């Protein structure tokens, strides 16, 4: 590990100013569960660490006029303990509970998990199924974009040097939307997902049909992805076990899984079909 500078940001504005000053030479310290490991092994060490871990303004979880706001520094443990999230989106609690061990959940942040951009992340699929957006701060102000647009590839985001992820927003139209998260790993605890999946839809009561279905998949492509063909198949269709199973089969054709030492691509496609069906049924 090479020597580096350290600055504790006073607030989000100060953090953005520090990032603008140091650009690509800076790294953000939030929970540190990923960064501290990276510092031991990275070929290119940062020149300066910008510590934002004490910024309470980025730890909020609250309902606003435009939807549910979750600060980028909200920990997985805080998400699990939030009465708002437990009541409205238990799938987010389930996803948070599947991340690492207790110590990791108490330190690791939602924003940090998203910014790692690993395809197997557990926080991404449910948020994408709920059509979440992210708020990004830079020297010019703040902007919002769909969460899916944050992911470019493994460990690569669309953020430019000098930009900071400050929050996640689930839009007002999806508040309370039924959603479910499913994960399959090689063991029950502290496991990377071979496949994870999330689904969300409203029930058209008059027709007992799927309304506004969304399906998201992780660990089956370079980034977390949607399954638009499976969603289109379900939209307006009468709810049934057969429809859910067929949506799972369609979703499996939309993914691009790889074969590695943990599982073959063929096995992952089988898992997609099963987990999508389970998520829809849940």
């Amino acid at each position: 590990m090479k020597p580096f500078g350290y600055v504790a940001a006073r607030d989000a504005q100060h953090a953005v100013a520090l990032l603008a000053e140091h650009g690509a030479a800076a790294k953000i310290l939030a929970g540190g569960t990923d960064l501290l490991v990276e510092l031991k092994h990275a070929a290119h060490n940062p020149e300066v660490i910008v510590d934002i871990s004490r910024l309470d303004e980025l730890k909020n979880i609250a309902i606003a006029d435009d939807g549910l706001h979750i600060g980028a520094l909200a920990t997985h443990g805080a998400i699990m303990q939030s009465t708002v999230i437990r009541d409205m989106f238990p799938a987010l609690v389930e996803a948070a509970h599947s991340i690492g061990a207790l110590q990791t959940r108490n330190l690791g942040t939602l924003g940090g998990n998203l910014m790692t951009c690993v395809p197997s992340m557990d926080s991404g699929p449910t948020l994408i199924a709920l059509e979440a957006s992210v708020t990004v701060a830079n020297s010019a102000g703040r902007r919002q974009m769909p969460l899916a647009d944050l992911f470019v590839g493994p460990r690569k985001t669309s953020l430019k040097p000098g930009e900071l992820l400050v929050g996640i927003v689930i839009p007002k139209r999806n508040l309370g939307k039924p959603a479910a998260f499913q994960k399959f790993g090689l063991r029950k605890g502290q496991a990377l997902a071979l496949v994870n999946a999330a689904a969300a839809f409203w029930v058209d009561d008059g027709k007992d049909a799927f309304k506004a279905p969304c399906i998201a998949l992780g660990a089956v492509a370079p980034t977390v992805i949607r399954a638009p063909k499976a969603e289109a198949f379900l939209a307006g269709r009468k709810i049934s076990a057969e429809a859910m199973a067929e949506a799972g089969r369609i979703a499996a054709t939309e993914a691009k899984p790889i074969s590695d030492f943990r599982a073959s691509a063929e096995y992952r496609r089988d898992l997609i079909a099963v987990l999508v069906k389970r998520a829809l049924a849940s």
Side-chain angles (χ1 to χ4, degrees), residues 48-92:
V48 63
I49 296 291
V50 177
D51 185 352
I52 64 170
S53 63
R54 297 174 178 82
L55 304 187
D56 289 339
E57 65 190 281
L58 302 186
K59 299 179 181 180
N60 65 304
I61 299 174
I63 299 291
D65 291 341
D66 58 343
L68 173 64
H69 286 243
I70 306 175
L73 292 184
T75 64
H76 308 300
I79 288 170
M80 292 170 62
Q81 295 165 9
S82 167
T83 55
V84 173
I85 293 179
R86 287 207 310 266
D87 291 344
M88 198 167 288
F89 298 115
L92 289 177

Side-chain angles (χ1 to χ4, degrees), residues 33-264:
T33 57
D34 286 302
L35 178 63
L36 294 182
V37 175
E38 183 181 327
L39 288 176
K40 296 176 182 179
H41 302 287
H44 303 288
N45 293 94
E47 294 179 7
V48 63
I49 296 291
V50 177
D51 185 352
I52 64 170
S53 63
R54 297 174 178 82
L55 304 187
D56 289 339
E57 65 190 281
L58 302 186
K59 299 179 181 180
N60 65 304
I61 299 174
I63 299 291
D65 291 341
D66 58 343
L68 173 64
H69 286 243
I70 306 175
L73 292 184
T75 64
H76 308 300
I79 288 170
M80 292 170 62
Q81 295 165 9
S82 167
T83 55
V84 173
I85 293 179
R86 287 207 310 266
D87 291 344
M88 198 167 288
F89 298 115
L92 289 177
V93 175
E94 183 71 20
H97 186 262
S98 73
I99 295 174
L102 177 63
Q103 296 91 331
T104 302
R105 295 192 290 272
N106 284 341
L107 285 173
T109 64
L110 177 59
N113 192 241
L114 296 174
M115 287 294 292
T116 61
C117 276
V118 294
S120 59
M121 72 171 69
D122 294 321
S123 60
T126 304
L127 289 170
I128 286 184
L130 291 168
E131 301 174 288
S133 62
V134 292
T135 303
V136 177
N138 55 36
S139 57
R142 296 193 176 192
R143 62 185 177 91
Q144 274 196 340
M145 65 178 180
L147 171 59
D149 291 350
L150 177 68
F151 307 137
V152 174
R155 297 196 175 274
K156 185 176 181 181
T157 78
S158 61
L159 297 194
K160 300 177 178 62
E163 292 193 313
L164 176 68
L165 174 65
V166 295
I168 298 91
V169 182
I170 296 175
K172 183 177 181 180
R173 67 179 181 276
N174 285 341
L175 293 184
K177 187 175 185 179
F181 172 77
Q182 292 283 322
K183 174 180 177 177
F184 188 89
L186 295 179
R187 57 181 185 268
K188 289 188 176 181
Q190 302 184 49
L192 291 175
L194 291 184
V195 173
N196 54 27
F201 64 88
W202 297 106
V203 176
D204 187 335
D205 293 326
K207 300 178 181 178
D208 191 25
F210 294 97
K211 182 179 179 181
C214 290
I215 297 170
L217 306 170
V220 297
T223 65
V224 178
I225 61 170
R226 288 272 293 268
K229 293 180 182 178
E231 294 170 358
F233 169 80
L234 289 176
R237 189 174 297 272
K238 185 177 177 62
I239 295 173
S240 68
E242 293 76 15
M244 296 176 190
E246 181 60 21
R249 287 190 288 269
I250 295 171
T253 68
E254 300 184 74
K256 298 178 180 178
I258 62 170
S259 294
D260 60 17
F261 68 95
R262 294 189 297 135
S264 67

